[in-house]
Amino acid sequence: MLLACEIQSSREYLIMMRLLAYASVTLVSLDRKERFSRRRPPPLPCLLLVYTGVTPWISPSLSELTRDHVSVPGPLFPYIYMDVLHDDFSDWGLPRELDLIVRAERARYPGDYLTSGFPEGVRALKNPRAARALVEFMKLTMRGWSGQSDRDKQIFDAIQLDWDTITTPEDLTMAAEAYQRGYVAVKEEGRLEGLQEGARNKEVDMLCEFLLPAVGREFVDELRALLGDDELRARLDPNAVFDLRLQYGTNPEGLRQAIRDCLEA
């Protein structure tokens, strides 16, 4: 079996054509050595597209790309599509290592990492080499957080992590906790950049941005509309929100209800 794999973080209109090109070029090149025939057919190419983009996306089918001249809805070869951030893989039966990679990709913020079960999953692996490889994979993911905004770079510069000394899931957890505390530290020191002008607006924006990945834009907008920035700032303590975010990070509705309970208290 030949596997043509592509990992995409952005939408690409002709991605299906590229996957077909990978498979076709490899088969033709292999045929020069193996001399395939009806009696000795070539291996079956299989296509895998892994999408890690923030917004959901389905790649255009061959029917769309060829204006229906190719009538099959999908590619010409067996094909698997994985939308890492949005698909439900509970019934896929993924190998444990691949399931952990999906969890790592979904950790876009420290709170996501701390509530994902990734550290516990890596610790449970019996193969120490696989565990170390997953730690290194997560380190790359975490280092990528610093490039999401000026604020994130500011926090990473402030905590000054020594990545060479981070070799275990426990080390990663400590790094994520330090990064999470950096949110509060940067906010309190008034060093946020790129947000609305004025210290009070910065504080509310920071709180809402911290909540946004877990509760959704509509809920954050609902809070602003119901309470207004002044009351939101007065009634939601950042440290309390931080604790709730860790507790309910994988349960959006539970987190929304816990915040409502805080506001009604």
Side-chain angles (χ1 to χ4, degrees):
M1 183 183 76
L2 294 177
L3 178 65
C5 178
E6 178 76 14
I7 300 176
Q8 281 288 120
S9 61
S10 58
R11 305 180 182 198
E12 184 168 329
Y13 182 64
L14 293 177
I15 185 62
M16 197 60 65
M17 293 296 193
R18 197 160 80 202
L19 282 169
L20 289 174
Y22 292 158
S24 301
V25 169
T26 302
L27 270 182
V28 170
S29 176
L30 192 60
D31 180 54
R32 295 193 181 104
K33 297 179 180 179
E34 303 293 337
R35 300 296 181 184
F36 298 119
S37 65
R38 287 187 179 182
R39 293 184 177 181
R40 189 167 177 270
L44 179 67
C46 296
L47 311 180
L48 171 61
L49 175 57
V50 180
Y51 174 63
T52 62
V54 174
T55 56
W57 174 60
I58 298 295
S59 58
S61 67
L62 284 182
S63 298
E64 294 175 74
L65 295 175
T66 62
R67 299 178 180 85
D68 292 326
H69 287 287
V70 176
S71 59
V72 293
L76 299 175
F77 303 117
Y79 170 63
I80 297 175
Y81 177 68
M82 296 180 66
D83 185 338
V84 172
L85 297 187
H86 308 99
D87 281 351
D88 180 8
F89 299 107
S90 58
D91 59 348
W92 280 47
L94 295 177
R96 184 174 298 179
E97 291 82 0
L98 184 53
D99 176 70
L100 289 169
I101 289 176
V102 170
R103 294 191 209 178
E105 282 292 329
R106 287 181 169 175
R108 299 296 168 119
Y109 291 88
D112 300 330
Y113 168 76
L114 294 169
T115 58
S116 67
F118 181 89
E120 295 80 5
V122 174
R123 282 196 293 270
L125 291 176
K126 295 180 180 180
N127 186 330
R129 293 179 63 183
R132 179 60 187 267
L134 283 164
V135 168
E136 293 300 315
F137 181 82
M138 191 65 220
K139 281 166 64 173
L140 292 174
T141 300
M142 293 177 68
R143 294 176 79 164
W145 294 343
S146 64
Q148 296 188 59
S149 69
D150 290 343
R151 178 213 59 217
D152 292 295
K153 185 178 186 307
Q154 218 170 15
I155 294 171
F156 251 70
D157 291 344
I159 59 180
Q160 295 182 338
L161 293 173
D162 184 355
W163 292 102
D164 291 336
T165 65
I166 298 176
T167 59
T168 67
E170 290 81 5
D171 296 335
L172 285 173
T173 299
M174 292 176 62
E177 289 172 345
Y179 186 96
Q180 199 75 289
R181 288 192 297 270
Y183 272 107
V184 179
V186 169
K187 177 188 67 64
E188 290 176 346
E189 293 171 15
R191 293 187 286 112
L192 292 174
E193 297 180 2
L195 300 176
Q196 297 179 12
E197 293 182 4
R200 294 189 304 175
N201 284 341
K202 288 180 180 180
E203 187 173 335
V204 174
D205 284 343
M206 182 66 197
L207 187 62
C208 290
E209 189 172 351
F210 177 58
L211 283 173
L212 184 59
V215 299
R217 169 68 65 185
E218 290 183 3
F219 184 75
V220 170
D221 291 343
E222 174 190 336
L223 286 178
R224 285 186 182 272
L226 287 176
L227 300 174
D229 284 357
D230 288 340
E231 192 172 356
L232 188 64
R233 181 174 55 257
R235 298 181 65 180
L236 279 184
D237 174 72
N239 292 317
V241 172
F242 169 74
D243 292 337
L244 291 174
R245 178 75 165 80
L246 295 184
Q247 185 177 354
Y248 294 96
T250 57
N251 181 2
E253 184 51 46
L255 178 56
R256 287 191 283 266
Q257 187 56 51
I259 292 170
R260 293 188 186 103
D261 293 342
C262 281
L263 294 174
E264 293 171 0

